[in-house]
């Protein structure tokens, strides 16, 4: 499958994407995960991206497109991909369209995960993430806590609150989403690719997406 997942920060794109990869071997491509790994490794991209990310601002389109051009041509994308957190702006969506045309591939569907605002806020403030850049498992201190000593149940690394999950950065990320990313909903509606899905439980959402792929 070739899917774009849209949705506000905290809508559960990462969790849904991970579950979808189990369906047919498509890979999850999370620009946020790639950028956090780059920051941790201190690469040139990471150094350039960090200040934007810590404030909850978007990283410039030029950096994102350079990174995604490479990523989408990797061998593991042949069986399909789930784009999680990309595109985030209209220019990124337009560049993606051109890139896919050049590569001779098409998107199956763009799924917009709809989640009520109070649920989003609660999720973002209670979310914790595994600090191991190769794992980045997502926890929730209320509904899915890490081990008692605050470690990841998958890889054992410390589970942390991300720098961009302070209250101030969260508010900024939500504003940035409304201003820059929400317009993608009507962009993809016009392209005839959009499917809105009310998303409260990730497993149910996955089933709805699978059904949408067959319609
Ligand atoms: P996420 O984990 O998807 O919420 O991404 C974390 C942060 O990485 C965002 O707040 C942005 O600073 C940056 N980021 C991730 N994806 C993109 C993108 N497609 N365009 C610009 N910035 C991005």
């Amino acid at each position: 499958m070739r899917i774009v997942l849209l949705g506000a920060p905290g809508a559960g794109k990462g969790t849904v994407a991970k579950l979808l990869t189990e369906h047919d071997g498509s890979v999850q491509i999370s620009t946020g995960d790639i950028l956090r790994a780059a920051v941790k490794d201190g690469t040139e991209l990471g150094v350039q991206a960090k200040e934007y990310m810590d404030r909850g601002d978007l990283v410039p389109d030029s950096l994102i497109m350079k990174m995604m051009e490479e990523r989408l041509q990797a061998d593991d994308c042949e069986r399909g991909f789930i784009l999680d957190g990309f595109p985030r702006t209209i220019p990124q969506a337009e560049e993606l369209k051109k890139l896919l045309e050049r590569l001779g591939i098409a998107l199956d569907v763009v799924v917009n995960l709809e989640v009520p605002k109070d649920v989003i806020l609660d999720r973002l403030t209670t979310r914790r993430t595994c600090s191991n850049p190769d794992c980045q498992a997502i926890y929730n201190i209320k509904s899915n806590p890490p081990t008692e000593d605050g470690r990841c149940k998958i890889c054992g690394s410390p589970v942390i609150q991300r720098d961009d999950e302070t209250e101030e950065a969260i508010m900024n990320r939500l504003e940035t989403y409304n201003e820059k990313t929400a317009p993608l909903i009507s962009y993809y509606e016009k392209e005839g690719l959009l499917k809105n899905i009310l998303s409260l439980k990730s497993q149910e959402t996955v089933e709805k997406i699978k059904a949408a792929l067959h319609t």
Side-chain angles (χ1 to χ4, degrees), residues 66-105:
K66 196 165 160 233
M67 165 180 126
M68 287 306 285
E69 277 211 46
E70 250 173 63
R71 183 65 191 89
L72 284 167
Q73 293 183 67
D75 290 346
D76 64 351
C77 288
E78 265 165 33
R79 294 189 63 185
F81 49 75
I82 298 142
L83 300 182
D84 153 16
F86 171 84
R88 277 282 230 284
T89 63
I90 297 279
Q92 288 181 18
E94 282 169 345
E95 288 296 314
L96 173 66
K97 189 177 174 190
K98 285 189 218 151
L99 174 63
L100 293 179
E101 272 166 15
R102 262 204 325 271
L103 299 176
I105 50 184

Side-chain angles (χ1 to χ4, degrees), residues 197-212:
I197 291 186
L198 177 67
S199 178
L200 291 171
K201 293 192 178 142
S202 26
Q203 194 62 55
E204 280 174 22
T205 304
V206 168
E207 295 310 317
K208 288 185 203 165
I209 295 174
K210 284 194 211 164

Side-chain angles (χ1 to χ4, degrees), residues 31-32 35-36 53 57-59 64 85 88 92 162 173:
T31 39
L35 289 167
R36 279 185 288 281
M53 295 172 74
D57 287 338
L58 291 181
V59 173
I64 298 289
R88 277 282 230 284
Q92 288 181 18
R162 282 167 28 182
R173 283 165 68 204

Side-chain angles (χ1 to χ4, degrees), residues 96-199:
L96 173 66
K97 189 177 174 190
K98 285 189 218 151
L99 174 63
L100 293 179
E101 272 166 15
R102 262 204 325 271
L103 299 176
I105 50 184
L107 294 172
D108 296 314
V109 66
V110 173
V111 174
N112 177 37
L113 301 180
E114 296 178 311
V115 181
K117 198 169 173 204
D118 54 330
V119 177
I120 294 260
L121 274 179
D122 187 56
R123 273 194 202 157
L124 284 174
T125 48
T126 53
R127 184 152 88 174
R128 299 293 181 270
T129 308
C130 172
S131 59
N132 172 0
D134 294 327
C135 176
Q136 304 203 32
I138 298 163
Y139 292 91
N140 181 296
I141 47 174
K142 288 189 198 158
S143 60
N144 174 29
T147 63
E148 253 171 49
D149 60 347
R151 290 188 171 268
C152 177
K153 288 181 184 164
I154 299 167
C155 73
S157 305
V159 167
I160 52 157
Q161 183 165 25
R162 282 167 28 182
D163 286 341
D164 63 356
E165 282 175 352
T166 60
E167 210 172 310
E168 199 186 342
I170 288 171
M171 292 327 263
N172 191 25
R173 283 165 68 204
L174 290 172
E175 264 173 43
T176 305
Y177 168 78
N178 286 332
E179 190 189 320
K180 305 261 173 65
T181 309
L184 289 176
I185 298 171
S186 48
Y187 173 89
Y188 282 117
E189 193 160 28
K190 283 191 202 116
E191 295 277 309
L193 285 167
L194 188 76
K195 178 88 192 163
N196 286 306
I197 291 186
L198 177 67
S199 178

